[in-house]
Amino acid sequence: MSGNAPPPLRRSTLFAMCACVLVAQSMVAAINLMIPQLAASALHPSPGALLWTVDAYVIVFAGLLIPAGACGDRWGRRRALLAGLALFAGGACLSAAGGPLGSVAALIAGRAVSGAGAALVMPATMAVLVHLAGPERRVQALASWTLAVGLGGLAGNVGGGLTAQYLPWQALFWAMVPLSALLAAAVLRTVPELPRHAATPDPAGSALLIAGTAAVLYGIIEGPSHGWFSVPVLAGFAAGAALLATFTWYGLAARRPLVDPRVFRSRRLRAAVLGTAASFFGLFALFFVNSQFLQYAKGYSPARTGFAIVPLTVGMALVPRFAGRLQARHGVRWVAGGGLALIGAGLLGVSTAGPDTPYPLYALWLLLLSAGMGLSAPGLTHAVVSELPPAQAGLGAGLNTAARELGAALGVAVVGTVLASRAGGAGHGPAEFTAGMATGLRVVAVPVLLAAVAVLAGLRDRPAADRPAPAPEPAAETA
């Protein structure tokens, strides 16, 4: 073995990386169970503030993932993990302090800081697995990573439900501090020093990407309260479009951009990124309304709601292990495209539910959607990462996870604003809430089903002549 060759992937390293993923992902889901308690708390957040409480974590998470992945490539994945866990814990402290301070702004700011920490953690974990796992173990390692994402949703729902039922909402955030310390100790013990690469974080490109994403989401979130044709909302959309267009132009002109837009000449990369974003667009739209429906319309307690959501994560936990075998037999396009179709069908099924719907039928729709996630996620993840050279493993992981989290943020924003427009949120009765939820989920299901068609078309096998030559790797230096 050469001096620069990494050690093989150990089971303890795999477990540590999956634990980091699980905790970072759980804080996306857990906050949804806290919405009723936060709405009734002394903070008295407005409906828009509740949406920003949910989305602040995801917006910063999604906006920083690509530059955070590049930072991990440049400065070391182990360092990125440790810095991310420190930020994650610091943001949790700030969010918890929002209660005693009576400050919604502190709660939202803390969520944003934690999102920045999670942005460093997620691509670094995937890059570590891609780097240490040989070709024969890489699909299995990525399936375990996907499993951790699903279990993070389960842990977030159950933990958030139990906290909402028995503890003050601040306890959810305080619990993240010792947990982050334990994860940091595990990283120090199990993650070896890996080669670094001459990646450029690109502050200008990062700023354009983050600002453009935030401006577009501002327009979506504030549309119902200000009016879709009001000056602030139109200005948000216009600013977002201009910033993202500038980001694209800058990427084409810069010598070493954060993301070279030319990589999207790959039909397979475009299809995989679109499919990844669409799957989480549907999943997190459902996450946002699911716990509210079970509490407002079905009358469940927060703890019972947390356990009632478990079927939504069963497929994500179990199906990825079978997805690899199905891909080997039928090809990734059919497995991933079929999974997206199941997600769309599950959303349409949940949209038919009402206060009198038997729980077993409701759980069946959740299982259908979660099976679709379990089928589509591993293949789409591998398709994104495999389209970039190994030296850009962190950037590829960041691109993949950014697609997930941006899709999640858009899903929450779209279904939340439709719900607010049609039902006025939780302030109306079960019938009004259910009607608004049904409309929102049907609106979300349409682009998910269209994405399934695009994935089937885009992930077709291509002739050898159409495959790009492997990009040369920059010289590595020890982290």
Side-chain angles (χ1 to χ4, degrees):
M1 182 182 296
S2 67
N4 288 331
L9 177 64
R10 295 183 298 167
R11 188 180 297 272
S12 59
T13 306
L14 177 62
F15 284 163
M17 295 302 92
C18 289
C20 290
V21 169
L22 187 151
V23 171
Q25 195 67 36
S26 71
M27 287 304 285
V28 181
I31 195 67
N32 293 302
L33 275 292
M34 310 300 295
I35 289 173
Q37 193 182 97
L38 283 168
S41 71
L43 295 176
H44 301 299
S46 66
L50 282 175
L51 277 175
W52 278 109
T53 300
V54 174
D55 258 348
Y57 183 91
V58 183
I59 290 171
V60 177
F61 194 0
L64 286 178
L65 274 163
I66 294 175
C71 286
D73 288 338
R74 178 66 184 90
W75 290 313
R77 285 71 184 250
R78 192 181 190 213
R79 294 174 184 173
L81 277 168
L82 294 172
L85 290 169
L87 276 175
F88 185 83
C93 289
L94 181 57
S95 291
L101 294 174
S103 171
V104 177
L107 171 63
I108 295 173
R111 290 277 292 166
V113 172
S114 288
L120 283 165
V121 167
M122 292 290 277
T125 57
M126 186 186 290
V128 167
L129 296 181
V130 169
H131 203 99
L132 295 180
E136 70 284 352
R137 295 187 62 194
R138 192 163 294 155
V139 173
Q140 180 185 359
L142 291 177
S144 297
W145 191 93
T146 302
L147 167 62
V149 174
L151 292 178
L154 170 61
N157 283 310
V158 174
L162 291 172
T163 302
Q165 181 73 34
Y166 300 111
L167 297 169
W169 60 264
Q170 294 94 330
L172 177 69
F173 298 103
W174 286 126
M176 295 299 108
V177 179
L179 191 53
S180 298
L182 287 173
L183 290 174
V187 168
L188 286 169
R189 184 176 179 83
T190 64
V191 177
E193 298 285 1
L194 298 175
R196 297 184 297 172
H197 301 278
T200 303
D202 188 8
S206 300
L208 288 169
L209 178 61
I210 296 166
T213 302
V216 170
L217 286 168
Y218 170 84
I220 294 173
I221 291 171
E222 298 296 336
S225 57
H226 286 91
W228 290 106
F229 296 101
S230 64
V231 172
V233 171
L234 291 178
F237 285 133
L243 287 164
L244 293 175
T246 304
F247 172 76
T248 303
W249 170 83
Y250 173 84
L252 291 170
R255 189 173 66 88
R256 300 187 69 181
L258 175 69
V259 178
D260 188 339
R262 296 174 187 87
V263 301
F264 288 100
R265 289 175 177 171
S266 166
R267 169 171 46 83
R268 292 176 62 83
L269 182 63
R270 292 196 305 270
V273 169
L274 174 63
T276 298
S279 64
F280 275 71
F281 176 77
L283 177 66
F284 277 82
L286 180 62
F287 270 152
F288 183 76
V289 298
N290 193 36
S291 60
Q292 298 180 75
F293 169 76
L294 291 171
Q295 292 179 78
Y296 297 148
K298 300 290 285 182
Y300 288 7
S301 68
R304 186 182 180 187
T305 296
F307 287 103
I309 294 171
V310 168
L312 188 56
T313 61
V314 169
M316 288 184 281
L318 300 180
V319 174
R321 296 196 171 273
F322 303 102
R325 291 197 287 270
L326 290 173
Q327 284 175 210
R329 182 177 301 177
H330 302 291
V332 65
R333 63 187 291 249
W334 293 108
V335 176
L340 284 168
L342 287 179
I343 294 170
L347 289 168
L348 292 175
V350 174
S351 75
T352 66
D356 298 324
T357 300
Y359 175 73
L361 177 60
Y362 189 77
L364 179 64
W365 295 123
L366 299 185
L367 282 170
L368 185 67
L369 189 149
S370 69
M373 288 295 301
L375 282 174
S376 61
L380 292 171
T381 297
H382 188 261
V384 172
V385 174
S386 64
E387 287 295 308
L388 294 172
Q392 294 180 304
L395 180 60
L399 179 60
N400 174 74
T401 314
R404 289 171 177 254
E405 302 308 327
L406 183 57
L410 288 169
V412 169
V414 169
V415 79
T417 51
V418 172
L419 184 64
S421 299
R422 296 296 302 271
H428 288 228
E432 290 85 357
F433 181 88
T434 302
M437 181 186 79
T439 300
L441 292 180
R442 288 166 190 163
V443 167
V444 169
V446 171
V448 173
L449 293 171
L450 291 175
V453 176
V455 165
L456 286 172
L459 291 183
R460 290 175 299 176
D461 292 333
R462 56 190 174 186
D466 188 42
R467 295 173 187 160
E473 294 191 31
E477 48 183 307
T478 303

